[in-house]
Amino acid sequence: MMTFNPIRIATISLAAALALSTNVRADDGGLYEKPLDPNSAFVRVIAPGATSASVQNSAFNKLNDGVSPYVAVAPGDIPVTSSLGQSSVKASAGKFYSVVVTKDGATTVEDDMTKNPSKATLSLYNLTGKAAIDLFVPQAGAEAVSDVDSGGSKSVALRAPLAVDLVVREGDKDLAKLDKVEFKRLAGVTIVVTGEGDQVDAVAVPSTIAR
């Protein structure tokens, strides 16, 4: 199993454009509804097509589009399983991790979640065979995330609350569309793109912590 840190979070000028480009606003609330234990690590499973998953002793039998909530755990080697396979992650206090499980194996991503009280984290995972994909925002006429390699991921901090349409693109070609994705302050949205060739699918799942 490889462990890598492909996500780099950034607050970019597009955030302002997005905030001004739509009149549709989402309610506040989300990932940090309660204070987080700074001594805990947070681990989740992303397993497209899986119906169940577990993180240490926490089991999820009805996954939301193959994405589990984050689970607060004590730092150390944390076992994870899904109906597609199993793996483990060496977790450190205060860190967020996603274990991505596919038919080809498992990789661990260290997620960078924004702590800015006026922003939300958008994370894009490219689990297709496409060499690179982008995430375009029609209301802003600009890309929110660019050049996400196959098997990789990137994140961006966006001003919130807001709700916008998102289009997954390969160059100038539209691959999939997500309507009115809502972003809440101090919360996150995970977008997972899967498929091959012209058969590409995208899902948007709120990033949550199991309570």
Side-chain angles (χ1 to χ4, degrees):
M1 180 190 70
M2 296 184 296
T3 300
F4 59 101
N5 300 330
I7 293 183
R8 292 180 176 86
I9 193 166
T11 302
I12 57 177
S13 58
L14 177 62
L18 286 175
L20 296 173
S21 67
T22 177
N23 293 322
V24 181
R25 297 284 171 159
D27 295 330
D28 291 337
L31 199 62
Y32 303 103
E33 291 177 352
K34 297 180 181 179
L36 302 181
D37 181 356
N39 298 315
S40 293
F42 301 88
V43 179
R44 71 174 176 181
V45 176
I46 298 178
T51 56
S52 62
S54 67
V55 176
Q56 204 169 59
N57 297 321
S58 297
F60 305 95
N61 295 319
K62 294 182 179 180
L63 289 186
N64 185 2
D65 290 315
V67 181
S68 81
Y70 287 100
V71 176
V73 296
D77 291 324
I78 310 301
V80 301
T81 65
S82 80
S83 50
L84 298 179
Q86 59 186 15
S87 186
S88 65
V89 55
K90 188 174 180 62
S92 299
K95 302 286 188 179
F96 284 77
Y97 301 90
S98 293
V99 181
V100 181
V101 184
T102 68
K103 60 181 177 58
D104 298 320
T107 56
T108 299
V109 175
E110 182 179 328
D111 299 323
D112 196 351
M113 308 300 291
T114 183
K115 301 297 194 301
N116 188 315
S118 67
K119 299 185 184 298
T121 302
L122 165 62
S123 298
L124 174 64
Y125 290 78
N126 178 7
L127 303 186
T128 74
K130 306 290 184 183
I133 61 173
D134 311 310
L135 195 61
F136 182 75
V137 184
Q139 290 99 318
E143 292 173 353
V145 185
S146 303
D147 296 324
V148 180
D149 297 337
S150 178
S153 59
K154 289 184 181 179
S155 288
V156 63
L158 301 179
R159 187 171 299 167
L162 74 150
V164 292
D165 298 336
L166 298 171
V167 179
V168 179
R169 285 182 167 181
E170 180 186 28
D172 294 330
K173 182 179 181 180
D174 293 354
L175 300 176
K177 182 180 179 183
L178 296 164
D179 295 325
K180 289 186 172 56
V181 178
E182 294 189 356
F183 296 89
K184 301 178 181 181
R185 292 189 179 111
L186 279 177
V189 173
T190 296
I191 295 177
V192 181
V193 185
T194 58
E196 300 294 338
D198 293 330
Q199 302 299 315
V200 173
D201 186 39
V203 296
V205 182
S207 302
T208 60
I209 296 176
R211 302 293 184 180

